[in-house]
Amino acid sequence: MKHLLAVLFLCSATVVAHAQIMQEFGQFEIHYNALTTDELQPEVARTYKIERSKTRGILTMSVLKKNKTGVPSPVPAKLSVYATNLTRQLTNVTMREVKEGAAIYYLGEFRIVPPDTLTFRATVEVPGQLKQEITFDQKFFR
């Protein structure tokens, strides 16, 4: 089976509102994406024990480090993520690490009642190399 991260990004690539987002910090790239879990293929949801629903969301994140020639590869990271909706309700998004071969990515599930916009605040840490806070918004539609 393809790596879940690739599947999630491909699944959401057809929906402009859920395009993959990436930010660069020196030699590091932080990739992230959020979507409702009903957009996942049933097989993917079953494999990763994710409930498919219009009221559940999933956040995917990965951290890549570029080598001397500029080729990025995944690195393990410590992630702390919170989300706030339009009514200022705050929720912790617990991220779990998934390793598949050389791939390392993180998944976090959360509740969502579309239409809504969530503001995600993440602290990404690669011990001794990077500690970066990022903020991004994601709109969710019915």
Side-chain angles (χ1 to χ4, degrees):
M1 173 177 265
K2 297 178 183 177
H3 297 296
L4 175 65
L5 186 61
V7 173
L8 289 175
F9 289 148
L10 289 174
C11 169
S12 62
T14 59
V15 181
V16 175
H18 295 299
Q20 177 183 358
I21 305 165
M22 183 263 296
Q23 291 184 30
E24 291 187 73
F25 303 96
Q27 62 193 34
F28 290 92
E29 296 177 356
I30 301 172
H31 293 253
Y32 48 90
N33 190 20
L35 59 145
T36 53
T37 60
D38 68 317
E39 295 182 56
L40 297 174
Q41 295 296 324
E43 180 182 331
V44 172
R46 271 192 307 275
T47 299
Y48 296 94
K49 297 179 176 89
I50 298 168
E51 178 187 341
R52 294 179 73 235
S53 172
K54 291 179 187 269
T55 61
R56 293 193 59 79
I58 187 161
L59 172 65
T60 64
M61 296 185 76
S62 64
V63 180
L64 307 176
K65 182 179 179 183
K66 296 177 193 169
N67 65 17
K68 292 178 184 177
T69 61
V71 177
S73 60
V75 294
K78 182 179 173 185
L79 303 174
S80 175
V81 182
Y82 295 90
T84 308
N85 66 10
L86 290 174
T87 60
R88 302 268 190 237
Q89 293 172 312
L90 179 70
T91 187
N92 178 44
V93 181
T94 302
M95 303 297 286
R96 63 180 161 115
E97 183 178 80
V98 177
K99 291 183 179 181
E100 291 184 337
I104 303 170
Y105 48 91
Y106 300 86
L107 304 175
E109 296 181 65
F110 53 91
R111 292 244 175 242
I112 183 72
V113 181
D116 204 349
T117 299
L118 294 185
T119 298
F120 293 92
R121 288 179 176 77
T123 301
V124 179
E125 184 176 359
V126 177
Q129 300 178 58
L130 172 76
K131 186 168 185 179
Q132 186 65 50
E133 291 186 19
I134 62 172
T135 301
F136 55 94
D137 293 334
Q138 180 63 57
K139 292 181 181 181
F140 293 89
F141 302 96
R142 289 181 201 225

